[in-house]
Amino acid sequence: MANVADLKTKTDDELSTELNNLKREQFNLRFQAATNQLEKPSRVKEVRRSIAQIKTLQTERTRSAAK
């Protein structure tokens, strides 16, 4: 799981790439959960939290750019 400080140093493009990767992983984890093949259930929570942190950072950046 990425640290918030690490995420803040990334560029917008890097954040978008990271977000896409996490969403893909989230999809795969949901698929594994549906077929009872999930090895680490805690990973679902970590991925959701990381997605939320990236989206929050993106929102903060767009709001500060609008000012």
Side-chain angles (χ1 to χ4, degrees), residues 2 7-10 13-14 18 23 26 30-34 36 38 41-42 48 50-51 53 56 58 60-62:
L7 291 175
K8 286 185 178 183
T9 61
K10 293 189 176 187
D13 291 336
E14 289 173 332
E18 182 77 19
K23 284 188 175 189
Q26 184 183 38
R30 277 198 315 246
F31 198 85
Q32 289 174 11
N36 292 325
L38 193 58
S42 61
R48 278 191 16 229
S50 295
I51 289 173
Q53 288 171 341
T56 301
Q58 288 176 332
E60 286 175 359
R61 288 182 181 185
T62 54

Side-chain angles (χ1 to χ4, degrees), residues 32-65:
Q32 289 174 11
T35 58
N36 292 325
Q37 296 176 344
L38 193 58
E39 293 178 17
K40 286 176 46 178
S42 61
R43 184 66 184 143
V44 175
K45 185 177 182 180
E46 291 173 7
V47 170
R48 278 191 16 229
R49 205 169 260 171
S50 295
I51 289 173
Q53 288 171 341
I54 291 175
K55 285 187 173 186
T56 301
L57 264 177
Q58 288 176 332
T59 302
E60 286 175 359
R61 288 182 181 185
T62 54
R63 284 189 177 165
S64 66

Side-chain angles (χ1 to χ4, degrees), residues 5-22:
D6 295 337
L7 291 175
K8 286 185 178 183
T9 61
K10 293 189 176 187
T11 64
D12 291 340
D13 291 336
E14 289 173 332
L15 283 178
S16 296
T17 303
E18 182 77 19
L19 184 62
N20 287 335
N21 292 339
L22 286 169

